[in-house]
Amino acid sequence: MGAWRERPGRIPSRKRTELGVRNRPAMDEADRQLLRRCRVRLVSELQVAELWDALLSRELFSGDMIEDIQRAGSGSRRDQARQLVTDLETRGKQALPLFISCLEDTGQDTLASFLRSSRQAAKQDPEAAKPLDHLVPVVLGPMGIVSKEQKVVKLEPSKPALGNLTPVVLGPEGVWPATLRPEVLRPETPRPVDISSGGTYDVCAAEKIRSSADMAYILDADPCGYCLIINNVNFCPSSGLGTRTGSSVDCEKLQFRFRWLHFMVEVQNDLTAKKMVAALMEMAGRDHRALDCFVVVILSHGCQSSHLQFPGAVYGTDGCSVSVEKIVNIFSGTGCPSLGGKPKLFFIQACGGEQKDHGFEVACTSSRGRDLDSDSEPDAVPYQEGPRPFDQLDAVSSLPTPSDILVSYSTFPGFVSWRDKKSGSWYIETLDGVLEQWAHSEDLQSLLLRVAHAVSEKGIYKQIPGCFNFLRKKLFFKT
């Protein structure tokens, strides 16, 4: 069939109303589970370019939705196929049979037959359509796999115990392996470390790891790399976004801190979305072969955004947003080959949404909490893409894992990020202090745990930073 073409007068994506989504009954759980089990094969074999007209004619998707799918990720066939399979789950009870018909209409009979027979088999065997949460955790140990339901044999006193082994859930091949799962940092209390008073931190062990090329990135170059800070403070009136008073305090702190960490710092102020992308692409086009690391800091208003890999978006001063995913992908292996195998760090001080976190009561509260006053304000902008069905995924289990990338967010997706007009944002203020005190002795993941713990104790409304970590090794800054 002919390639689907954009129709004139389309409604902007973030203002559209999804085609009949409110009146459509939800997809059957059996169909949803079938799509998830078949996701890997569908992403691998689906020819999406031939499907657009068929999907449009059967009213499975609107023209605007198809354009959003076509723009997914890098725009490759696999990214489009992955987004199509994800979005299909939100298109109602008849979505799967209609999709199978579209496959048949476009000559993709092998996939159509595979889905149809799998659907019929699932109806005959309902157990096959059950979610994966009923699987029994098993413990991997020296003696093989031991189910938690099996009887525990008491070891003889002379034999060593297995220790606290982590349960591992074994499932179908489509389940995301634990080693590829993005690490989201939680507000755990960091281990006590006090170098000056002879605390428990093992300096020798840390130095051994730092000097091992197999266990840690080696940051020998001086300067270590570029650090680009984009600081958006003043927004055009038509954007509806307020001035980010206090952001310049954040910018000055990080400009000093990353120079102290041996980075070449460049600051760009008040950029539109288009100029933000241009500045990032110009940086990606430079020769980084003699350098060991790269850092991007974005200080702006933000919002939620549909995504495949990294959630959230940040606003340019013109009120147009740039997704975090797009920012990261500019520095992929193909976009910036001279940074291949080197750590690429992204620090995002912007809102992940508009919810205010009231927190919950705990037995003991810290005295370091700080009430919000008239000088505290959020970097929040409501999510404008329209209501999303409850069963739509925010991430896909079959995504390829990006490597040597860490994205640190000032707040958990969906919640506001607080900024003080005088002292700057909670996240940047804390990050700067933690880097100053601990960067000489701790790796980046440990530093970010300290930041998360400290920020979580502030204020009446709560905030918890998070991190998507795809680094392959530990990272110790050069101090």
Side-chain angles (χ1 to χ4, degrees):
M1 299 185 68
W4 182 85
R5 292 179 175 84
E6 180 178 351
R7 296 163 299 156
R10 71 180 291 269
I11 301 172
S13 171
R14 63 180 180 179
K15 295 183 179 178
R16 74 173 189 266
T17 301
E18 293 194 358
L19 183 64
V21 69
R22 295 176 181 173
N23 299 323
R24 297 188 183 207
M27 176 179 282
D28 289 340
E29 183 62 26
D31 286 350
R32 184 179 295 110
Q33 294 300 326
L34 173 61
L35 279 175
R36 294 176 183 179
R37 289 197 303 275
C38 301
R39 187 188 305 278
V40 173
R41 179 171 177 179
L42 287 171
V43 171
S44 176
E45 301 180 16
L46 196 60
Q47 300 303 313
V48 291
E50 302 176 12
L51 280 172
W52 307 132
D53 287 337
L55 295 171
L56 197 61
S57 64
R58 292 184 182 273
E59 296 188 344
L60 256 179
F61 293 94
S62 70
D64 295 342
M65 294 176 187
I66 290 176
E67 288 185 25
D68 283 347
I69 294 172
Q70 291 172 332
R71 290 195 296 265
S74 64
S76 66
R77 182 202 63 79
R78 291 182 66 90
D79 284 346
Q80 292 180 4
R82 189 177 294 113
Q83 189 64 51
L84 173 59
V85 174
T86 300
D87 290 353
L88 191 63
E89 294 186 22
T90 72
R91 303 312 299 151
K93 192 178 184 69
Q94 295 301 314
L96 184 54
L98 286 174
F99 178 66
I100 294 173
S101 298
C102 290
L103 291 174
E104 293 171 337
D105 292 346
T106 56
Q108 302 184 58
D109 298 319
T110 302
L111 275 180
S113 176
F114 168 66
L115 286 176
R116 195 180 296 280
S117 60
S118 298
R119 190 167 186 255
Q120 291 172 350
K123 287 183 178 179
Q124 295 172 0
D125 183 13
E127 290 296 316
K130 285 188 175 181
L132 298 175
D133 54 13
H134 69 289
L135 297 177
V136 178
V138 297
V139 175
L140 300 181
M143 303 301 293
I145 299 175
V146 183
S147 170
K148 289 184 70 176
E149 292 183 345
Q150 290 181 339
K151 183 178 179 181
V152 178
V153 180
K154 187 174 182 181
L155 297 175
E156 297 178 9
S158 60
K159 295 183 179 180
L162 296 180
N164 296 324
L165 297 177
T166 304
V168 177
V169 178
L170 303 181
E173 293 180 359
V175 178
W176 199 342
T179 55
L180 297 184
R181 197 179 299 273
E183 179 180 348
V184 180
L185 300 182
R186 304 297 182 191
E188 300 175 3
T189 303
R191 62 187 185 280
V193 180
D194 190 348
I195 306 297
S196 61
S197 58
T200 61
Y201 189 76
D202 191 337
V203 179
C204 295
E207 288 301 320
K208 184 177 180 180
I209 293 173
R210 184 195 289 259
S211 61
S212 170
D214 293 330
M215 302 177 69
Y217 293 102
I218 303 300
L219 305 187
D220 281 340
D222 195 358
C224 180
Y226 289 106
C227 171
L228 174 63
I229 301 176
I230 297 178
N231 180 34
N232 288 342
V233 178
N234 304 295
F235 295 78
C236 66
S238 60
S239 69
L241 301 170
T243 301
R244 298 184 62 255
T245 308
S247 184
S248 295
V249 177
D250 289 341
C251 184
E252 291 174 4
K253 287 178 180 177
L254 292 187
Q255 192 173 358
F256 172 82
R257 188 58 53 207
F258 279 103
R259 282 176 178 164
W260 179 68
L261 294 172
H262 298 267
F263 284 86
M264 296 177 285
V265 180
E266 297 184 16
V267 177
Q268 299 269 9
N269 291 304
D270 292 343
L271 300 184
T272 63
K274 196 171 184 179
K275 289 183 178 180
M276 287 173 65
V277 173
L280 292 162
M281 293 186 70
E282 189 275 331
M283 186 64 73
R286 298 185 187 182
D287 187 354
H288 299 262
R289 286 177 296 178
L291 306 174
D292 292 331
C293 188
F294 176 68
V295 174
V296 171
V297 179
I298 307 287
L299 310 172
S300 188
H301 285 296
C303 65
Q304 286 181 280
S305 173
S306 59
H307 62 281
L308 288 175
Q309 295 170 327
F310 301 98
V314 291
Y315 280 102
T317 56
D318 56 349
C320 296
S321 64
V322 182
S323 70
V324 173
E325 185 169 286
K326 182 173 183 177
I327 292 171
V328 173
N329 285 338
I330 289 174
F331 299 92
S332 65
T334 54
C336 187
S338 62
L339 277 174
K342 300 175 182 180
K344 295 164 280 288
L345 314 178
F346 300 83
F347 297 90
I348 311 296
Q349 166 53 45
C351 266
E354 58 180 328
Q355 295 188 60
K356 294 179 179 178
D357 189 353
H358 294 267
F360 56 92
E361 291 187 5
V362 293
C364 179
T365 58
S366 170
S367 60
R368 289 179 292 173
R370 183 173 73 190
D371 290 348
L372 288 176
D373 55 30
S374 59
D375 289 328
S376 294
E377 59 184 18
D379 278 329
V381 176
Y383 185 30
Q384 299 179 359
E385 196 176 21
R388 299 176 70 184
F390 68 92
D391 60 345
Q392 184 169 350
L393 299 177
D394 268 348
V396 181
S397 60
S398 59
L399 287 175
T401 303
S403 62
D404 307 298
I405 287 173
L406 182 142
V407 182
S408 176
Y409 294 87
S410 63
T411 188
F412 192 80
F415 290 87
V416 299
S417 179
W418 293 101
R419 170 174 38 80
D420 188 281
K421 295 179 181 179
K422 298 176 182 177
S423 60
S425 66
W426 294 0
Y427 168 69
I428 297 298
E429 180 184 26
T430 306
L431 176 63
D432 176 59
V434 167
L435 288 172
E436 179 182 21
Q437 187 173 3
W438 302 110
H440 69 283
S441 60
E442 294 189 5
D443 69 282
L444 180 57
Q445 294 180 55
S446 299
L447 297 172
L448 291 178
L449 279 173
R450 287 186 175 278
V451 173
H453 176 67
V455 172
S456 70
E457 292 189 322
K458 294 178 180 285
I460 298 174
Y461 290 119
K462 294 299 178 181
Q463 177 182 332
I464 176 68
C467 175
F468 279 71
N469 178 16
F470 292 106
L471 296 179
R472 295 177 294 113
K473 307 174 185 180
K474 290 185 179 293
L475 188 147
F476 293 88
F477 284 113
K478 184 182 182 73
T479 57

